[in-house]
């Protein structure tokens, strides 16, 4: 995004779209990232986002929820300052919540 500032002419930015959690994730949180599995929907969103298209993407994300997997992680993840490789390593813990 152009900033209009000569020292910092471009601002790198991104947006995370969220939707209602799918059944596999709702035990953990009521929201989840939107994963646009369809290249066609992704192109439509980038070219002309609209409230109707947002609803269509939401419904597609909720319907296609396979591919999500999770495992217990260190409780250090609850700390905003946590930065460690342990973030992606499974820990022994309960097999269900």
């Amino acid at each position: 995004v152009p900033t209009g500032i000569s020292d910092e002419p471009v601002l790198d930015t991104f947006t995370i779209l969220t939707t209602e959690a799918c059944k596999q994730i709702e035990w953990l949180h009521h929201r989840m990232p939107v994963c646009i599995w369809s290249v066609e929907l992704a192109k439509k969103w980038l070219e002309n986002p609209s409230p109707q298209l947002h609803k269509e993407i939401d419904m597609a994300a909720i319907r296609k929820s396979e591919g999500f997997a999770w495992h217990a992680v260190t409780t250090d993840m609850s700390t905003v300052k946590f930065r460690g490789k342990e973030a992606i390593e499974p820990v022994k813990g309960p097999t269900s919540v």
Side-chain angles (χ1 to χ4, degrees), residues 20-40:
E20 294 177 41
C22 64
K23 295 289 182 203
Q24 295 92 328
I25 304 234
E26 67 184 3
W27 65 270
L28 178 63
H29 199 274
H30 68 285
R31 304 290 294 169
M32 67 179 231
V34 171
C35 298
I36 304 176
W37 304 106
S38 161
V39 172
E40 180 183 326

Side-chain angles (χ1 to χ4, degrees), residues 51-78:
Q52 178 57 38
L53 184 56
H54 187 261
K55 288 179 186 176
E56 189 178 337
I57 290 169
D58 268 357
M59 295 312 299
I62 291 169
R63 282 191 310 270
K64 184 173 174 72
S65 57
E66 68 271 2
F68 288 103
W70 55 87
H71 55 263
V73 294
T74 175
T75 55
D76 293 336
M77 289 291 290
S78 298

Side-chain angles (χ1 to χ4, degrees), residues 10 13 22 26 37 46-47 56-57 85-88 90 95:
V10 176
T13 185
C22 64
E26 67 184 3
W37 304 106
L46 292 172
E47 292 169 358
E56 189 178 337
I57 290 169
K85 64 180 180 180
E86 302 86 358
I88 61 170
T95 56

